[in-house]
Amino acid sequence: MQDEIETEEIIKDIFQQGKTCFIPQYQFQSNHMDMVKLASPDEISSLPKTSWNIHQPGEDDVREEALSTGGLDLIFMPGLGFDNHGNRLGRGRGYYDAYLQRCLRLQGTKPYTIALAFKEQLCHQGTQSSRGWPSPLAHEEDRVSTGIQFLAAAFEDSIL
């Protein structure tokens, strides 16, 4: 089983609606991530893959960054697991937590966040695990990833 929902159909729909699409560009030596503009839905498959098997522009590929042009309205949040309180278990590098903090600082608000998940990734109770799953009752107050507006699309497979 894949550990993340494929988003190619969502990306195509974004372009069909005349919206602008930004995708993550990670800097693997830090927890810095930018959301950079995607030129077309067809471009995504031509981009190099990261060690996590995610298509993204290379670190030397300079593109328009969302926060330099007004910010984002919505971010689809990846994760390894989610609970019904809006908590997410990421991959441990803090890319999205740091980016959402930048959104708060630079645009005064954070975008809406939607978690896309397979039903196997859903946990009905947020408990502390050995991998650092945040408990909704004992989470850090400044942890941005807790309190995600929870909307999980639990798919049998990754086709939308």
Side-chain angles (χ1 to χ4, degrees):
M1 180 184 99
Q2 293 176 288
D3 61 3
E4 289 187 12
I5 298 289
E6 291 289 332
T7 58
E8 289 177 14
E9 293 301 316
I10 294 171
I11 291 170
K12 287 178 187 174
D13 191 59
I14 288 168
F15 279 97
Q16 287 173 351
Q17 292 185 37
K19 307 281 183 189
T20 304
C21 183
F22 292 85
I23 60 171
Q25 183 180 38
Y26 306 101
Q27 292 180 8
F28 286 98
Q29 67 278 11
S30 69
N31 73 340
H32 186 84
M33 175 183 79
D34 288 321
M35 288 290 192
V36 296
K37 189 172 182 177
L38 188 64
S40 75
D42 300 323
E43 179 188 20
I44 192 87
S45 61
S46 68
L47 296 173
K49 286 187 176 183
T50 68
S51 59
W52 291 331
N53 207 28
I54 298 168
H55 288 281
Q56 76 165 33
E59 287 188 28
D60 58 341
D61 186 348
V62 178
R63 294 172 179 244
E64 180 181 321
E65 208 288 323
L67 290 174
S68 69
T69 60
L72 297 170
D73 299 319
L74 172 69
I75 295 179
F76 291 105
M77 298 290 287
L80 299 175
F82 304 90
D83 73 8
N84 57 3
H85 298 286
N87 299 305
R88 75 182 259 277
L89 175 65
R91 296 186 182 269
R93 298 292 303 266
Y95 291 111
Y96 281 84
D97 292 336
Y99 192 79
L100 290 172
Q101 286 286 7
R102 282 177 49 213
C103 290
L104 281 172
R105 192 174 67 250
L106 297 174
Q107 65 185 47
T109 186
K110 69 175 186 159
Y112 287 103
T113 53
I114 297 177
L116 299 177
F118 295 103
K119 67 181 180 182
E120 293 84 0
Q121 292 175 284
L122 303 179
C123 174
H124 298 290
Q125 184 175 351
T127 58
Q128 191 70 27
S129 77
S130 61
R131 298 189 75 184
W133 187 281
S135 168
L137 299 176
H139 67 272
E140 299 170 48
E141 288 184 11
D142 63 347
R143 187 175 175 90
V144 177
S145 65
T146 56
I148 291 173
Q149 293 184 346
F150 187 75
L151 176 59
F155 296 102
E156 293 293 327
D157 56 41
S158 63
I159 299 173
L160 299 176

